[in-house]
Amino acid sequence: MTRVTVWNEYRHEKDSEAVAEVYPDGIHAAIADGLAERGFETRTATLDEPEHGLTEEVLDGTDVLTWWGHRAHAEVSDEVVERVRDRVLDGMGLLVLHSGHYSKIFKRLMGTTCGLKWREAGERERVWVVEPGHPIAAGLDEYFEVPEAEMYGERFDVPAPETLVFASWFEGGELFRSGCCYTRGNGRIFYFRPGHETYPIYYQEEILRVLANAVEWAAPTDGPEPTLENVDPIENLD
Ligand code: ZN
């Protein structure tokens, strides 16, 4: 069974009534429950736990890590960021969610600012599937809508995705590349835009379906261990 660790900063939920009303047990609980219902073995980890809940042992037992952070990106220790990065390069999948675009780990793996345009006005978002044959789009219609969302607009300062699975339109007129696939080393990374602390987006059926599909896509495969050192020839060169 694929083992998922759902990481959350878990600060908004503790000091904002409006957020706690939407996510009483935290955003991580909503995501972990949704994934558990879809057949994954889930655990959660949060910023204020020792080592942010991401010890070597936890990461070694994680096939796919999901990352939600917003206002405390700077509090994530560089040591843990490097540990997560090493695991991704080694094959662990990583799902970076919504405001996680500005997390240290995403910026480290992308190498760009990962900045974007944004506005919080409860706009409708229409998420278009632009790569219908991709496993992350399995079971979806041509598009789905998020009734109330924070707007993220282009330009999104990331490297061109290896595959763009979703593109979003917003009521205010902006566009956004909202489902971006990357590989780094042996690891697969999926950035997924929807999700904000004051909207019940992580309970929405289509969103949970995408997350479940993305976990399956990002899970490590049983590929060969690459040799990254000086080697003797396989054929006789004499
Ligand atoms: Zn947000």
Side-chain angles (χ1 to χ4, degrees):
M1 194 186 282
T2 304
R3 301 160 301 174
V4 185
T5 299
V6 177
W7 193 86
N8 181 17
E9 178 180 289
Y10 196 29
R11 290 283 175 83
H12 291 288
E13 299 95 323
K14 289 191 275 194
D15 60 21
S16 159
E17 269 182 41
V19 176
E21 235 171 73
V22 183
Y23 295 107
D25 301 314
I27 284 172
H28 52 298
I31 294 171
D33 289 351
L35 290 174
E37 281 166 19
R38 284 159 181 79
F40 299 101
E41 184 184 320
T42 62
R43 69 193 298 167
T44 62
T46 57
L47 179 64
D48 292 325
E49 293 172 38
E51 302 180 56
H52 313 319
L54 299 176
T55 59
E56 297 273 5
E57 193 188 348
V58 167
L59 289 177
D60 285 347
T62 299
D63 297 313
V64 179
L65 175 67
T66 76
W67 194 278
W68 197 100
H70 180 220
R71 69 180 205 219
H73 295 312
E75 291 179 49
V76 177
S77 87
D78 293 334
E79 191 187 335
V80 169
V81 171
E82 289 310 297
R83 187 184 296 164
V84 171
R85 176 176 175 271
D86 287 347
R87 274 287 292 137
V88 170
L89 297 182
D90 190 43
M92 181 182 75
L94 177 68
L95 272 51
V96 177
L97 308 176
H98 186 62
S99 41
H101 73 89
Y102 256 161
S103 62
K104 282 185 181 178
I105 183 61
F106 191 56
K107 291 194 287 188
R108 178 87 171 90
L109 287 162
M110 295 295 109
T112 56
T113 71
C114 300
L116 48 79
K117 190 177 279 150
W118 61 276
R119 171 176 63 240
E120 201 177 336
E123 288 164 72
R124 185 155 51 100
E125 173 180 9
R126 185 173 293 141
V127 182
W128 286 93
V129 175
V130 295
E131 210 56 70
H134 197 279
I136 296 179
L140 296 171
D141 291 332
E142 195 174 14
Y143 67 82
F144 64 90
E145 293 188 346
V146 177
E148 281 191 305
E150 177 184 24
M151 185 282 293
Y152 279 6
E154 297 285 345
R155 165 153 169 93
F156 182 21
D157 185 27
V158 285
E162 291 161 26
T163 307
L164 180 69
V165 183
F166 303 112
S168 288
W169 165 92
F170 293 88
E171 228 175 324
E174 286 85 358
L175 297 172
F176 193 76
R177 289 170 291 169
S178 51
C180 305
C181 297
Y182 299 94
T183 47
R184 292 290 184 272
N186 295 335
R188 294 178 177 179
I189 301 164
F190 182 61
Y191 173 79
F192 189 47
R193 194 218 81 83
H196 179 74
E197 65 275 9
T198 57
Y199 305 122
I201 290 171
Y202 292 120
Y203 301 110
Q204 192 175 326
E205 173 58 33
E206 295 95 333
I207 299 296
L208 288 167
R209 179 174 288 252
V210 169
L211 295 179
N213 288 345
V215 165
E216 290 204 17
W217 170 81
T221 54
D222 198 17
E225 193 70 36
T227 307
L228 305 173
E229 58 192 29
N230 184 271
V231 294
D232 292 327
I234 295 167
E235 307 293 339
N236 190 348
L237 296 180
D238 293 337

